[in-house]
Amino acid sequence: MANRPRDRVQPNHLQPWPIGHAIAFNQTTFNLQPSTKPPSTFNQTTFNQTTFNQTTFNLQPNHLQPNHLQPNHLQPSTKPPSTKPPNRQTTFNLIMTHILHIDASPRGDRSISRQLSNRFIQTWKSFYPDDTVSYRDLGHNPVPHVDEKWIAAAFCPPEKRTPELVETIKVSDTLVDELLAADRYVFGIPMYNFNVPSTFKAYIDQIVRFNRTFTFDEPGQYRGLVPKGKKMLIFTARGGSFSPGTPSADYDYHEPFLRAIFGVIGITDITFIHAEKLDLGEEARQQSLANARAELEKAVGTW
């Protein structure tokens, strides 16, 4: 789950498993005890063909995505990496992680943040093919903005909501359930006018809800309701340079806002990978993209 120990493999081992490679299972200990309670979407998980003598293990989790979600558009690599993580010769920790993957750019293939988030998911799945991913494309399928009826529904006790208010808050309930069900988060969020795109701000307003994702211990003291230990990885695309010490650093309301708002709901372990200087000439652009890809490959082994 979110804070479970994982044996990570460094990116320089991103190679297919050699054909015919055999694993000796005679001394293998199978440990099927997750370190934390899995998300509710795994309650219906079925385990088929669990015949350890024949070394057959087939995991077939039920589909995790609600009907309104697009199916996951990324196909995992067919073979695991060539180098086995440490301790896998004696112990198998068969714990699946569920990732929520979101893209916020309205661009398609030309989107840098989208390219980076997709590349990370593809690489991750090549290492951990049993992990599951739910995908939401906010750039092409935005969620509604908050309106007066939404506010009335959000602050009305569930048992007192009229059918109209129940319908009004349904999208928000789905998004919150989806957020809480995930163990990790991979987001592609470009910078627009020094902050997030309006499509992502609309998403934030739908999921940051009193008594669903945050509460108050006392006036002014927020307490997040997202279970502890969850990790977030955010890929950004920026036309200029906003790193500390640069002339434009004070205009960066992008990363600070995201850290603050997700911190309110309890997600504080956030890693950013910025693709900057994309509008500052071809040489600067290509160098920044190369740096972002290198950080991405490193993150696969350390995140």
Side-chain angles (χ1 to χ4, degrees), residues 1-3 34-40 42-43 95 180-183 227 230:
M1 293 291 93
N3 61 350
S35 56
T36 58
K37 182 179 179 181
S40 59
F42 286 106
N43 290 342
I95 306 171
L180 296 176
D183 306 303
K230 302 198 177 190

Side-chain angles (χ1 to χ4, degrees), residues 9-16 80-83 123-124 126-127 296-297 300:
V9 182
Q10 295 304 316
N12 58 350
H13 299 302
L14 294 173
Q15 299 177 7
S82 59
T83 302
T123 307
W124 182 272
S126 73
F127 276 81
L296 181 157
E297 300 296 335
V300 173

Side-chain angles (χ1 to χ4, degrees), residues 2 11 52 94 114 132 147 193 225-226 239 273 288-289 297:
F52 296 119
L94 296 173
R114 190 182 293 269
T132 54
D147 58 16
N193 295 322
L225 298 179
V226 175
I273 295 181
S288 179
L289 290 175
E297 300 296 335

